[in-house]
Structure formats: structure tokens, C-alpha cells
Amino acid sequence: WLILFILVYFWSVPAHAGGALYITSNGTPSVWDNSDAILLDIEAGSCGPFANSEMLTKMEGIVALWTGLTEVNLSFTVATGTLPAIDSTNYTSYYYNGDAATTDNRSDLVNPIIFDEDGEITAEGAGEANQLFVLGFAGPVGLSTTDTEIYDGQAVINCMCIEGAADSDCVSSGVAIEYTETELDTTIMHEMGHFLNLDHSQVNVDFYDDAVNKNATMLLIMY
């Protein structure tokens, strides 16, 4: 899974990506069926200081940014009530850990958006050493047998160290680790790009590599 560490995003910058996560044998990207809205199944739990109802509103606004792009012909239905609160004790019932490009394709029409309240799902997926720094991971998890169509996707958002309700364990080398609401929002937007099958972009990497004149606001959302 693609892992996002600290992400900064300037909202007016176009959402260029570096390519597709999954492609067909002839090199064309795997795509979602846009004849119907893609259903996003929002789990029933909270995310740090944000109640489930607030997260639902966030998701609606963030996916609207993606569908509002002139190059994108997709729509979403953001649904609540289809999934219970999800944590490390039950996430394996909803989170698929297999290879989307194998014959074990997921086609259950459930696309879980999971809020990892205590970071334990992230620790299991990315290792305890990364629990404080991995903010999310997402992607398609079910392809058609020809890899042309994406059936299912999922996303996990790490809510453990969100400012305002950070876990007491959010400390690294004596320094408190907290992520702002803006960093939460940009993480979700980035991960929804992976959900849609976008890979990472390296556009403007020179701004990031310039230690003297670093300008992180020039990094694109899929960086």
C-alpha cells in the first residue's frame, strides 16, 4: 500500500498525478464505472475531535473537489449507516488486504472509509514505528478479470494524533506530534486520489529538495 507521511497542499494547485496504480496489459489505466455514483461507505466512528457527522460533511466536501475537476467524469454517494464503528478488533471484516490485481478480486460493492481512532490499524499495516507518522493509505481493491474496471476501493485515515484530541502516546523523541485539521483534510483528499487509482506525482520536486528556499505550497496533492 502507498503510504502518506506529512503532506502539505496548496488548494489552488491542479491535482496532477504521476500515473495510475493499476493498468491493463496494454498499458491503459484501470478505471471506475462512471455510469453510477461510486458509493463510499463511511464507518460509524469518530476521527480525533471530529464526530462522525462532521467527518461525513468533510468527506462530501472533499470528494466534491475531485468530481469538480473538469477532467473528471465521476460522482460519489457518501453514505453513513452501512458500516459500524471500525477499530483494530473488527477491521479485517471490512478491510481487504489482498492484491486487487489477482483472481481474488473484491466485488462486494462495499467501499469502506475507515477512521483509525487509536492508530492500531495503521500500526498493524505499517508497523508500530510508523504509527505516529503514517496519516493514511488507500487504493482500489477489486479489479475486473481484464483489469479494465475497478469494482472496489478502500481508505484508512489515521486519527490518532489529530490536534484537539491527540492520543497521549503521540510523542516522538520528547516532541508532541499533532496534525492540524488542514493536514487531516489534505490527507483525505490525497488518499481519495489513490482510491481513484492515481499514483504519486513528482511535479515540483525541486521545491521540496531546495533546503534553503523550500516552498511546500508548490507540492501537488498527489505528491
Side-chain angles (χ1 to χ4, degrees):
W1 288 104
L2 292 165
I3 295 173
L4 171 67
F5 288 83
I6 297 175
L7 169 71
V8 181
Y9 176 66
F10 186 57
W11 287 96
S12 66
V13 175
H16 297 301
L21 293 173
Y22 292 98
I23 60 174
T24 66
S25 58
N26 63 8
T28 59
S30 306
V31 296
W32 288 84
D33 178 4
N34 63 2
S35 61
D36 291 304
I38 300 171
L39 179 65
L40 299 180
D41 297 283
I42 310 300
E43 70 134 292
S46 58
C47 182
F50 301 103
N52 187 259
S53 59
E54 294 175 295
M55 293 305 296
L56 184 66
T57 299
K58 278 186 179 295
M59 291 301 305
E60 290 172 340
I62 288 168
V63 297
L65 293 172
W66 279 110
T67 59
L69 296 173
T70 56
E71 299 87 353
V72 175
N73 183 21
L74 286 174
S75 60
F76 291 94
T77 297
V78 181
T80 186
T82 58
L83 297 179
I86 299 175
D87 58 25
S88 60
T89 67
N90 66 349
Y91 82 97
T92 55
S93 297
Y94 308 98
Y95 177 83
Y96 179 63
N97 199 30
D99 185 351
T102 68
T103 55
D104 182 23
N105 289 318
R106 296 285 283 178
S107 57
D108 57 8
L109 304 181
V110 176
N111 302 310
I113 309 298
I114 298 171
F115 307 132
D116 186 11
E117 182 70 15
D118 58 7
E120 290 302 315
I121 299 172
T122 303
E124 291 188 24
E128 290 188 8
N130 295 317
Q131 186 180 36
L132 304 184
F133 306 107
V134 175
L135 303 185
F137 42 98
V141 291
L143 304 179
S144 63
T145 53
T146 58
D147 296 341
T148 56
E149 185 176 337
I150 301 169
Y151 289 143
D152 291 276
Q154 63 190 10
V156 175
I157 305 301
N158 185 357
C159 306
M160 178 180 178
C161 299
I162 304 300
E163 187 177 51
D167 190 286
S168 59
D169 291 329
C170 291
V171 177
S172 177
S173 300
V175 178
I177 305 295
E178 286 190 325
Y179 298 103
T180 65
E181 182 176 1
T182 297
E183 287 171 321
L184 171 64
D185 292 345
T186 53
T187 294
I188 295 172
M189 188 174 182
H190 176 99
E191 296 308 331
M192 291 311 298
H194 288 321
F195 179 97
L196 289 172
N197 197 33
L198 296 180
D199 204 343
H200 285 138
S201 170
Q202 296 303 313
V203 173
N204 288 350
V205 66
D206 51 320
F207 285 98
Y208 183 82
D209 288 339
D210 186 346
V212 177
N213 300 304
K214 182 175 289 190
N215 188 352
T217 63
M218 296 303 294
L219 296 180
L220 306 181
I221 191 62
M222 293 313 298
Y223 180 84

